Amino acid sequence: MDNMKVAYETMLGLAAEMVLDESLRNFRTEKLYLAIDQALANGDAESFQRLTEELKTFQ
């Protein structure tokens, strides 16, 4: 019975970690899109290039 409890707790921990990772990825992606939009609005080509390259690593 203890083995089942350990396995269950391990699975819950992994599921929580996956949810957290996805949330952080979504948050960072949204921030990158906002920064890219701002760089476009400001005509900042260098920031636009850097940010789009960073965004590609998330996708």
Side-chain angles (χ1 to χ4, degrees):
M1 194 67 138
D2 286 334
N3 286 340
M4 286 185 64
K5 183 177 178 183
V6 169
Y8 180 72
E9 289 175 354
T10 301
M11 293 300 290
L12 282 178
L14 289 173
E17 188 175 339
M18 289 172 60
V19 169
L20 180 60
D21 286 346
E22 183 68 20
S23 295
L24 290 172
R25 187 178 306 110
N26 289 340
F27 177 80
R28 183 62 183 145
T29 299
E30 183 178 330
K31 292 294 181 183
L32 283 170
Y33 275 120
L34 291 172
I36 289 168
D37 288 345
Q38 189 65 43
L40 283 172
N42 294 337
D44 186 353
E46 183 179 322
S47 291
F48 173 79
Q49 286 287 41
R50 180 178 49 80
L51 292 165
T52 54
E53 287 301 318
E54 188 174 344
L55 180 62
K56 287 179 187 177
T57 64
F58 277 76
Q59 296 177 339

